[in-house]
Amino acid sequence: MTRSASRWNTLGELVATGVVLVAATTSGALLFALAATERWQFQDLLLRVGLPAVVLLVLALVLAAGVGWHRLRRGILVGGLSGLIATIGLEAVRITGFRALETMPGDLPMLMGVKATGRIMAGPNTTSTILGYADHFWNGAAFGVIFALLIGGFPRKWGAWSGALLGAVYGLLLGFGFATGPVPTSLGIGGVFATVTVAEFQTTVYLAHLVFGLILGALVHRFGSRIAPLWVPVVDLFRGVPRQGGSGNFSNKPLTE
C-alpha cells in the first residue's frame, strides 16, 4: 500500500472509530441516566436511540473486519468481551451491597428491565428481569469498547498491572459520573425516606466501579496489548507516516516509500 493510500485508510479507520465511540456511548448507561431526569421514557430511548446505535456498532465491526481495520476490530472485540467479564466483578460488589450489607436501595438491573418494558405499575417479570440484566451487561461491554479504543494496550512495555491501574482510574471516573448524575436522586438517595445513606451508596458504587475498572484494564492490556492507543494513529496521520498494515499494531513500522 502506498503512503497516500495508507493515509486515507488510516483516516477512514479514525472516522469509523469516532462513530463507534459515539454509538457505544449512546447505546449504554447514558440512556438510563437520561431517563432518570424524567424528560424521556427509558423504553423510548432504547428503541429510538439505543437499538440503532447497537446496529451501527455491529455494522462498524463487520466493516472493520472486511476492509482490514485491525485496530478498530480488535478494540470492539477485546473491549466488549473484557467489559462483559468485568461487569461480573462489578455485580459481585453490587449484589453484596444490596443483599448482604444493605448499602444499595434496590436491584438496579431489575429496575432497568421494568422501565424498559413499561412495567412500572405491574412490577418485574421474567422477561423484564432478563432484559434489564442484558442491558446492564451491555453497558459494561460498551464501556469496555470505549476504553479499548481510547487506551488500547498502553503502556505496552509495562506489565498487566499498568493496564489495571489505568482501568482503575477509568472505573472510578465512571463511578463518579454515576454517583453525581441523576440516577441516585431518582432512587431517593439522600431523601427523607431513603433506606441507605449517601455514604453507604457512594462507597458501594465507587468500589464496584473500581473492581470493574481493574478487571477491564488488566484484560484489555493482556489480550489487546497490540491495540495502539487512539493518539498513535492520530499523530501518525498528521505526521504523514501511516504504518504498514494499518494503525492497529504497536509493532507496525512507518512506511518509508
Side-chain angles (χ1 to χ4, degrees):
M1 183 182 294
T2 65
R3 180 191 293 265
S4 176
S6 182
R7 191 172 186 179
W8 279 108
N9 185 63
T10 300
L11 178 61
E13 185 174 2
L14 285 174
V15 171
T17 298
V19 172
V20 169
L21 288 173
V22 172
T25 301
T26 56
S27 66
L30 176 63
L31 298 184
F32 190 68
L34 289 175
T37 65
E38 299 184 354
R39 294 183 179 181
W40 300 275
Q41 295 294 321
F42 188 46
Q43 187 177 38
D44 293 337
L45 289 173
L46 284 177
L47 292 175
R48 298 178 182 180
V49 180
L51 186 58
V54 171
V55 172
L56 189 61
L57 196 153
V58 172
L59 290 176
L61 175 60
V62 173
L63 178 63
V67 302
W69 290 339
H70 303 301
R71 180 185 182 278
L72 180 57
R73 176 180 58 82
R74 292 175 186 143
I76 295 174
L77 292 176
V78 173
L81 291 174
S82 298
L84 285 175
I85 296 172
T87 304
I88 298 175
L90 181 147
E91 276 297 284
V93 177
R94 186 194 66 82
I95 291 176
T96 300
F98 174 51
R99 300 290 183 184
L101 304 178
E102 298 183 351
T103 57
M104 294 292 286
D107 192 325
L108 190 58
M110 186 178 292
L111 175 61
M112 294 164 65
V114 168
K115 286 192 171 185
T117 54
R119 294 182 57 86
I120 294 296
M121 301 303 296
N125 60 9
T126 302
T127 301
S128 68
T129 300
I130 292 175
L131 183 59
Y133 272 87
D135 183 65
H136 183 53
F137 274 83
W138 170 260
N139 292 342
F143 283 131
V145 170
I146 293 171
F147 179 81
L149 289 178
L150 291 179
I151 305 299
F154 177 83
R156 185 170 183 251
K157 294 183 179 180
W158 297 354
W161 66 268
S162 60
L165 180 60
L166 288 173
V169 174
Y170 179 71
L172 289 174
L173 289 174
L174 295 179
F176 176 79
F178 180 82
T180 59
V183 174
T185 301
S186 71
L187 296 175
I189 303 299
V192 177
F193 301 104
T195 58
V196 300
T197 66
V198 173
E200 290 173 336
F201 175 77
Q202 290 191 349
T203 298
T204 305
V205 166
Y206 280 113
L207 181 58
H209 285 84
L210 174 62
V211 171
F212 173 84
L214 285 169
I215 297 174
L216 174 65
L219 289 175
V220 170
H221 196 278
R222 169 64 179 83
F223 297 102
S225 61
R226 297 176 63 192
I227 303 173
L230 184 59
W231 58 84
V232 170
V234 171
V235 170
D236 284 348
L237 182 66
F238 281 97
R239 289 176 58 196
V241 286
R243 298 168 183 257
Q244 296 175 358
S247 60
N249 193 329
F250 265 127
S251 63
N252 286 339
K253 298 179 180 180
L255 285 169
T256 56
E257 298 180 359

